[in-house]
């Protein structure tokens, strides 16, 4: 049943209950059954590796769930490499570094004129 929830979440992120489904998936990251943990972990890793800007809100929710569960639940329940998913997060804001540099230079020129 967790696999079906993961498929539903990955294919229909615009679904009304997507954030609730994500909460269930993240809650399964600390499950006693290794197969359930693995399925949940794969979905969270796929979410964090996603490049879609529409997934930023879900990434933030997943990180909140993960940090809350890491504080409350026993560390032994989690996979040893669960925090590696944080390395997959794409945090670019929308501009390339060259565009950022050019816009910063133009802002500096404008501030010097004043």
């Amino acid at each position: 049943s967790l696999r079906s929830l993961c498929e539903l979440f990955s294919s229909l992120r615009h679904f009304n209950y997507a954030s609730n489904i994500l909460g269930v998936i993240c809650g399964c990251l600390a499950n006693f059954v290794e197969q359930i943990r693995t399925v949940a972990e794969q979905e969270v890793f796929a979410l964090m590796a996603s490049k879609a800007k529409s997934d930023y809100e879900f990434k933030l929710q997943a990180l909140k769930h993960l940090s809350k569960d890491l504080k409350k639940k026993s560390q032994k329940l989690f996979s040893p490499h669960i925090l590696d998913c944080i390395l997959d997060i794409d945090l670019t804001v929308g501009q390339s570094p060259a565009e950022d540099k050019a816009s910063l230079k133009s802002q500096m020129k404008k501030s010097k004129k004043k």
Side-chain angles (χ1 to χ4, degrees), residues 2 13 19 33-34 49-50 53 58-59 62 68 72 77-78 88 91 99 107 109:
L2 181 63
R13 294 223 170 109
S19 60
V33 182
E34 185 178 350
S50 171
K53 291 185 181 185
F58 292 117
K59 290 178 184 183
K68 181 180 73 172
K72 289 184 178 179
L77 294 175
F78 289 94
D88 290 337
L91 294 176
E99 291 173 339
Q107 288 176 3
K109 285 181 184 178

Side-chain angles (χ1 to χ4, degrees), residues 9 14 18 24 26 41 63 68 86 105-106 111 113:
F9 178 74
H14 62 279
V24 171
C26 289
E41 190 177 298
L63 287 173
K68 181 180 73 172
I86 296 172
K105 283 184 180 179
S106 66
S111 67
K113 289 179 183 178

Side-chain angles (χ1 to χ4, degrees), residues 17-114:
Y17 298 107
S19 60
N20 295 347
I21 293 171
L22 180 62
V24 171
I25 293 170
C26 289
C28 291
L29 290 171
N31 199 300
F32 289 106
V33 182
E34 185 178 350
Q35 292 173 333
I36 293 175
R37 265 195 325 259
T38 303
V39 171
E41 190 177 298
Q42 289 172 349
E43 185 60 34
V44 170
F45 271 78
L47 171 66
M48 296 303 178
S50 171
K51 302 284 185 194
K53 291 185 181 185
S54 59
D55 290 341
Y56 284 152
E57 181 181 335
F58 292 117
K59 290 178 184 183
L60 180 63
Q61 288 179 6
L63 287 173
K64 286 180 181 178
H65 284 293
L66 185 60
S67 68
K68 181 180 73 172
D69 288 346
L70 282 169
K71 289 177 187 175
K72 289 184 178 179
K73 297 181 180 178
S74 172
Q75 304 293 318
K76 295 176 184 176
L77 294 175
F78 289 94
S79 171
H81 59 278
I82 188 61
L83 293 179
D84 292 342
C85 71
I86 296 172
L87 300 175
D88 290 337
I89 299 175
D90 179 28
L91 294 176
T92 55
V93 179
Q95 295 182 340
S96 69
E99 291 173 339
D100 285 338
K101 200 175 202 180
S103 67
L104 184 63
K105 283 184 180 179
S106 66
Q107 288 176 3
M108 289 174 64
K109 285 181 184 178
K110 286 179 185 177
S111 67
K112 286 180 182 179
K113 289 179 183 178
K114 292 180 181 180

